[in-house]
Amino acid sequence: MNLLRKLLFPLGIVYWVITFFRNKCYDWSWFSSQSYAIPVIAIGNLSVGGTGKTPHTEFLIRLLKNQYKLAVLSRGYKRKSKGFVIANSSVSAEILGDESYQIYTKFPEVKVAVCEDRRTGILHLLEHEQLQVILLDDAYQHRKVQAGFYVLLTAYDDLFADDFILPFGNLREPSIGKKRADVVLVTKCPINLSDKEKSTIVKKLNVNVDVYFTTIMYDEEVYSEEGNELLQSFKNKEKVVVVGIAKPNYFIEKVKNDKDHIKVYPDHHNFTDAEIAELNNWSKTHPIITTEKDYVRLKGKIKQNLYYLPIKIKFLENEFSFTNKIKKYVESSTRNSSLFKK
């Protein structure tokens, strides 16, 4: 832990008290929290970024989209717009935010919207759409909304049980917030994680709900506007690797070789004109491989040789148990509620 964070430890104590008391005000109903007549599933974490919320949200979309009329609502982090925006053919990644735009382009049959205030966002969605399920992406701390089911993510190499409150550590709220979770997913695990280590992690997390383990699975092909090619065909080529995500090392290790030029940017980075010009220069002589999230911000700006590598998540075990919990919640909520109550 660096010196600055150590110096900020007293501020961390203040932040802990504020966030703890805020949560208690919701727990004690001193602050109002809105619940809904349709199933609302919140996907989030206790820490700042890097747990894989978007691919896990996409997993839930694939699970539910063919059976239910589905919407995904998020904040739209670092977007160049304000208020409620619903995705359509006239929006861009800059207007919607990169992750929301990525979801919109991959799942056009699903309603995708952004709003800083999720309560306002849900109200707008229900006014215009006959929805059956709403997924809230990155809304674990948004206590104004009372979701019916909470999916808490924590990264294998950065467990919330090993972390501290901001700014001393990376936790957005005290780890006692884990008690709101209906399930916990330990993400970005090694594919060969042992049963002994799983058991150790479960004990360390100390939760009273089921814990599942997932890993990131990269596609074997890279994609561009012109089509797709095997990733292996790029492994020995000199190329430019462009990555602007919270934890870039997984991606870099998957695609790089010793001849590559690695360009690392902050998460959700808005590329400047100078950076775009530099990448366009590189693209004249080198393929550029980037993440799916970065691709939606670079598409149309890099004129040639731009590829992205998609990812999905895979359960190490017990996938059916997890999906069955989700389906049972949605089915019971849909059956027992007035779906379109205003």
Side-chain angles (χ1 to χ4, degrees), residues 118-254:
R118 307 307 198 285
R119 188 157 57 182
T120 299
I122 291 173
L123 177 64
H124 282 300
L125 282 170
L126 294 179
E127 282 177 345
H128 297 98
E129 302 292 337
Q130 297 290 296
L131 297 172
Q132 292 173 288
V133 186
I134 296 176
L135 301 181
L136 298 180
D137 182 17
D138 195 14
Y140 199 81
Q141 283 75 38
H142 203 88
R143 299 296 305 273
K144 289 182 180 180
V145 168
Q146 177 61 53
F149 197 96
Y150 286 90
V151 180
L152 176 60
L153 309 182
T154 186
Y156 164 80
D157 61 353
D158 191 17
L159 299 172
F160 63 72
D162 295 329
D163 208 346
F164 302 92
I165 199 77
L166 285 166
F168 186 60
N170 291 316
L171 292 183
R172 298 172 172 181
E173 61 171 301
S175 59
I176 195 174
K178 66 188 180 183
K179 291 186 176 181
R180 298 198 301 278
D182 291 284
V183 294
V184 175
L185 301 186
V186 182
T187 67
K188 299 185 177 180
C189 296
I191 192 71
N192 58 350
L193 186 65
S194 70
D195 289 341
K196 181 178 180 180
E197 190 169 5
K198 290 173 191 171
S199 179
T200 299
I201 290 171
V202 170
K203 288 178 181 177
K204 182 180 287 188
L205 295 180
N206 190 26
V207 292
N208 294 319
V209 296
D210 288 336
V211 178
Y212 300 89
F213 297 85
T214 68
T215 190
I216 295 293
M217 298 296 292
Y218 289 93
D219 205 303
E220 294 304 317
E221 295 183 319
V222 293
Y223 296 78
S224 71
E225 288 193 290
E226 287 71 44
N228 50 311
E229 298 184 40
L230 287 173
L231 174 62
Q232 192 60 37
S233 67
F234 287 83
K235 287 296 278 187
N236 296 319
K237 290 182 181 179
E238 184 178 352
K239 57 188 178 294
V240 181
V241 177
V242 175
V243 55
I245 57 178
K247 294 180 180 178
N249 290 341
Y250 297 95
F251 180 83
I252 293 170
E253 288 301 317
K254 179 66 179 179

Side-chain angles (χ1 to χ4, degrees), residues 293-320:
K293 188 165 78 170
D294 293 306
Y295 180 81
V296 299
R297 281 181 275 116
L298 292 171
K299 182 181 176 182
K301 298 176 181 178
I302 307 302
K303 305 303 181 185
Q304 58 188 327
N305 268 335
L306 179 64
Y307 301 86
Y308 70 91
L309 179 66
I311 61 172
K312 289 184 180 179
I313 64 106
K314 178 182 178 180
F315 281 75
L316 299 187
E317 60 187 4
N318 299 326
E319 178 179 336
F320 177 78

Side-chain angles (χ1 to χ4, degrees), residues 86-98:
I86 194 162
N88 56 49
S89 58
S90 66
V91 302
S92 63
E94 286 78 13
I95 297 299
L96 207 63
D98 50 16

Side-chain angles (χ1 to χ4, degrees), residues 239-243 251-252 255-256 260-264 289:
K239 57 188 178 294
V240 181
V241 177
V242 175
V243 55
F251 180 83
I252 293 170
V255 302
K256 77 167 186 176
D260 287 344
H261 306 270
I262 312 296
K263 303 282 186 181
V264 179
I289 295 184

Side-chain angles (χ1 to χ4, degrees), residues 73 79 81-88 91 95-96 112-115:
L73 177 65
R79 61 189 170 109
S81 62
K82 297 291 183 184
F84 177 79
V85 179
I86 194 162
N88 56 49
V91 302
I95 297 299
L96 207 63
V112 178
V114 294
C115 191

